[in-house]
Amino acid sequence: MTSPAADFAPFSKTHLLGISDLSPLDIENLLDRANAWADRNALPDNKHAILRGRTHINLFFEASTRTQSSFEIAGKRLGADVMNMSVSQSSVKKGETLLDTAVTLNAMRPDLLVVRHHGSGAVELLARKVANCAVINAGDGSHEHPTQALLDALTIRRHKGRVQGLRVAICGDIAHSRVARSNILSLSALGAEVHLIGPATLMPPAIERMGVKVFRSMEEGLEGCDVIMMLRLQRERMSGAYVPSSREFFHYYGLDAKRLARAKPDALVMHPGPMNRGVEIDSVVADGEQSVIRDQVEMGVAVRMAVLEALAENLDRTKDNRKPGE
């Protein structure tokens, strides 16, 4: 089965480090590609040889079952040779620096490198140091998580037919969430109205400059929303007491059936996972008819296939355009 890539314009980026690097056309390009892959993945024959001969390395400095598994499945469906580097067993745990890691990676000559790191900006640093390799940010600190934002946008688009003109609420720990930042950028670029809902302690200063509307009340912020994205408390990135307790957080900012009723009757309920039931979302809502959380997981594979494919194509064009001796 051939790739649907021929139906789309070439993707011009060398790496995918953040939504902030993409134009609205870039985002639409990746969403269109991913939408085609989502349809193909539903067919019995969903194995392809598009990345045959490519080396795809997942380098995760933070634990992540969902994202790493999704990238692994995506790479294998496209025929790449996929390797997962276990940082817990690597030289990084023995004091190796990020630049030392880059030297090691260069010796392995990967074509596609997927990186998750606890430090904001670490993925960009690696991208500068690895040669002839496309780097994909799978989450860096509290900075960005671009493929999560893309899969969220694809999920919305497939259910609603569009993103433009929709009212989307992102609720919870905005301050520590790379998912929130990437979604604000992507949804705004695609023409959505973005509401941020959460306590002052979990809201970044001057966040309104990103063109969003900020609410301290769930009831007020959810009014008339088409989509509700719930975020978990990022306790691993907190250095103090940002909320009195999980119980009190749910009392004021948890999504239950009563609060969901403030949104539109056909509003989508989303969550990037992992969920903390009874902290930011009630199980009745998480498992209810309006929940598209499982669809997000499915779209994650399609989006990552699209990203891997698009960047590999650009690698080929770059090599073809090189002058002799370069």
Side-chain angles (χ1 to χ4, degrees):
M1 187 178 291
T2 60
S3 163
D7 298 331
F8 307 112
F11 187 69
S12 62
K13 303 298 181 182
T14 304
H15 309 292
L16 179 59
L17 304 180
I19 297 295
S20 58
D21 298 328
L22 304 180
S23 69
L25 285 177
D26 290 328
I27 296 172
E28 293 283 6
N29 181 320
L30 291 173
L31 293 181
D32 289 343
R33 289 170 177 262
N35 190 62
W37 280 121
D39 291 338
R40 296 248 178 142
N41 286 342
L43 301 175
D45 180 15
N46 57 16
K47 301 286 186 179
H48 310 274
I50 295 163
L51 298 185
R52 179 178 292 167
R54 302 281 193 180
T55 300
H56 161 191
I57 295 178
N58 290 324
L59 178 63
F60 277 56
F61 293 83
E62 286 184 334
S64 171
T65 302
R66 187 182 302 236
T67 302
Q68 183 171 330
S69 298
S70 183
F71 269 111
E72 183 177 1
I73 292 170
K76 289 181 176 178
R77 282 192 181 169
L78 292 173
D81 297 319
V82 182
M83 184 180 81
N84 294 315
M85 289 186 67
S86 177
V87 175
S88 62
Q89 299 174 9
S90 75
S91 298
V92 177
K93 287 292 185 180
K94 302 173 185 176
E96 183 172 281
T97 68
L98 198 60
L99 295 181
D100 292 329
T101 302
V103 171
T104 302
L105 289 167
N106 279 328
M108 296 179 181
R109 297 183 180 274
D111 300 290
L112 298 153
L113 179 63
V114 180
V115 184
R116 168 166 287 194
H117 198 281
H118 52 79
S120 299
V123 180
E124 183 177 359
L125 177 62
L126 265 180
R128 294 175 188 168
K129 300 300 179 181
V130 293
N132 303 324
C133 175
V135 177
I136 301 165
N137 183 358
D140 62 330
S142 300
H143 177 228
E144 277 221 49
H145 193 349
T147 57
Q148 179 67 47
L150 291 170
L151 74 89
D152 289 341
L154 181 61
T155 303
I156 294 170
R157 202 174 76 166
R158 284 174 71 92
H159 280 273
K160 295 291 188 180
R162 62 189 171 91
V163 175
Q164 185 174 12
L166 297 181
R167 181 177 292 178
V168 183
I170 305 176
C171 316
D173 186 359
I174 310 296
H176 301 96
S177 175
R178 53 197 173 206
V179 172
R181 177 175 171 78
S182 288
N183 265 304
I184 291 168
L185 292 168
S186 65
L187 294 169
S188 297
L190 295 172
E193 176 186 316
V194 180
H195 289 192
L196 301 184
I197 308 172
T201 52
L202 296 178
M203 198 67 65
I207 190 66
E208 293 90 347
R209 293 177 185 174
M210 293 186 73
V212 299
K213 296 182 179 180
V214 177
F215 298 86
R216 303 287 182 240
S217 161
M218 282 285 282
E219 287 74 12
E220 184 180 353
L222 293 178
E223 194 69 41
C225 283
D226 300 281
V227 181
I228 305 169
M229 291 185 184
M230 301 306 300
L231 304 173
R232 70 180 179 88
L233 294 174
Q234 306 276 320
R235 296 191 182 278
E236 69 275 15
R237 300 192 184 99
M238 295 181 184
S239 57
Y242 287 82
V243 295
S245 67
S246 297
R247 178 178 294 181
E248 186 161 344
F249 181 80
F250 183 78
H251 177 73
Y252 288 103
Y253 294 102
L255 183 64
D256 56 17
K258 184 176 180 181
R259 289 195 171 112
L260 177 57
R262 301 297 291 264
K264 289 184 179 177
D266 61 347
L268 305 179
V269 174
M270 306 179 73
H271 197 302
M275 286 187 292
N276 292 310
R277 294 170 183 264
V279 177
E280 72 269 5
I281 190 167
D282 186 79
S283 289
V284 172
V285 174
D287 301 326
E289 293 181 356
Q290 291 173 250
S291 173
V292 294
I293 296 171
R294 291 182 182 176
D295 292 352
Q296 288 175 269
V297 177
E298 182 181 350
M299 293 305 107
V301 175
V303 160
R304 282 144 190 159
M305 289 175 73
V307 169
L308 292 170
E309 176 193 44
L311 291 176
E313 285 176 10
N314 197 43
L315 275 178
D316 288 337
R317 286 193 298 274
T318 301
K319 290 176 182 177
D320 291 342
N321 292 333
R322 277 186 198 154
K323 297 177 182 178
E326 284 188 335

